[in-house]
Each structure stands twice: as C-alpha cells, then as structure tokens.
Amino acid sequence: MKTKPIRNGVSLVERLVVIAINAILVLLLLPAINAAREAARNTQCKNNIRQLALALVNYESAHGHFPISQVASGKDTAGQRCDPGFYSWHAQILPYIEENQLYEQIDFNADMADECSDGESGLISSTHPNAIAAATIVPTFLCPSDGYTGNNVEVTGTANPASDNYAGNAGWPSLSTGYDGEREAPAKYNGLI
C-alpha cells in the first residue's frame, strides 16, 4: 500500500496571505504611532514654554525687571560700527536655561546686525563677530511640531541665524521714534514679554 507523503512546507499562496495580513496590520497601526509621536512633540513644546517662563521669572528675580523684548539696533558711531544693540530677550535669558556657554560667546559690545538700521533690517552676515553664536540652535527655543528647516539666509542674513518658535510682545520698543525723534511716535503701548 502506497502512503501519501506528508507535506511540511508552506505554499506560496499561504505566504502571500500572511504578508498581506501583516501589511494591513502595520497600516492600521501607523496613525496611532504618528498620533503618539505628535503627542510627544506637543508635550516637548509645552515643556519649552514652561522652561522659558521659569527663565523669565528667574531673570526678573535677579535683575528686578523682565528682560526687554528686543533692544533696538545701536546708533551708527561715525560710520565705524554700530553701538551695541539689536538683542532680543532670547539672548538675555540664555544663562537661565542652562546655556551659559552660548551666552558667554556673545559679544554684547557689538551690534547684532551688520548695519545700524534701528531694527528695520537686522541682517547678520557670516563674517559678523556674533555669527557663530547667532547660528547656534537652542533646542528650548524650538517646538518640535513646527517642522523647522534650518534655512534663514534670505530673511536674516548669511550667518543663517537659528530660528525660534517663541516670541514676546514688546508693545512699542525703546528708540521706536528713531535716534533723534525723526519718526512720529505711534499710540502708547505698555506691552511685556
């Protein structure tokens, strides 16, 4: 009597069915994985805001006032260079977000812009004394949900200063009427960061 051989292998059709089932399961899980990742990025954004708020409070505690939202560009000193200026609150709170090394790299005796523009231009070139510090990315200033590309050359100059996602309300900054009052002052504002 002849016995039928016992088949131990898996057919091609069975393999394709298993692969298809696995692919469908992966496709069903992708939205859940993406939602979990976005929730983690959102949590990081909220943590950044918390860190910045603590830094502002610690700055106020140390100095008796909150940092100025943005210092206007320095006045042109006889065509040689601008007086110090054009720094934002971001630079002022660096020591309070554990960025002391970056804070110490900044030459606060040099204007942060290449031209004395009273804040109208604000371009900074790659040859500026603060170019490296300006281009340094501070993770606390970036929200991971933003999709930051890292290219700011067209907007802020060839130094490609780092972006940030957190702005402050300045109201109307000092020197807003120009160095010698040549621009008419707008309505009075009393904004804080």
Side-chain angles (χ1 to χ4, degrees):
M1 174 175 195
K2 222 176 182 191
T3 60
K4 278 186 160 177
I6 300 175
R7 191 182 79 157
N8 291 330
V10 179
S11 73
L12 178 62
V13 173
E14 291 170 331
R15 288 181 185 172
L16 290 175
V17 168
V18 169
I19 290 171
I21 290 171
N22 285 339
I24 291 170
L25 290 174
V26 167
L27 289 174
L28 291 173
L29 287 175
L30 281 177
I33 292 170
N34 287 337
R37 286 181 179 165
E38 181 56 32
R41 289 190 292 263
N42 191 1
T43 300
Q44 183 61 47
C45 292
K46 291 176 183 176
N47 185 56
N48 288 350
I49 291 172
R50 180 180 175 274
Q51 294 300 320
L52 294 174
L54 288 172
L56 289 169
V57 169
N58 289 334
Y59 181 98
E60 191 279 333
S61 180
H63 299 276
H65 58 84
F66 287 103
I68 297 171
S69 180
Q70 180 174 321
V71 178
S73 183
K75 190 173 184 178
D76 191 347
T77 53
Q80 295 174 344
R81 67 180 193 134
C82 303
D83 284 342
F86 212 53
Y87 298 95
S88 75
W89 63 278
H90 296 88
Q92 298 170 60
I93 67 164
L94 285 171
Y96 302 95
I97 58 170
E98 298 180 8
E99 292 287 345
N100 291 351
Q101 186 176 4
L102 179 58
Y103 181 82
E104 291 170 6
Q105 289 177 8
I106 299 172
D107 179 4
F108 286 97
N109 293 317
D111 191 79
M112 199 60 161
D114 286 331
E115 298 174 7
C116 302
S117 63
D118 196 19
E120 292 175 10
S121 168
L123 296 179
I124 179 170
S125 68
S126 57
T127 59
H128 191 280
N130 287 326
I132 294 172
T136 302
I137 294 171
V138 178
T140 307
F141 294 157
L142 292 175
C143 176
S145 294
D146 180 48
Y148 165 69
T149 63
N151 188 355
N152 296 316
V153 172
E154 289 183 30
V155 178
T156 54
T158 58
N160 194 21
S163 291
D164 71 83
N165 294 118
Y166 306 101
N169 173 19
W172 191 252
S174 61
L175 299 177
S176 60
T177 57
Y179 301 118
D180 300 316
E182 65 271 14
R183 290 191 304 226
E184 185 178 326
K188 293 182 180 178
Y189 297 95
N190 190 17
L192 292 175
I193 296 182

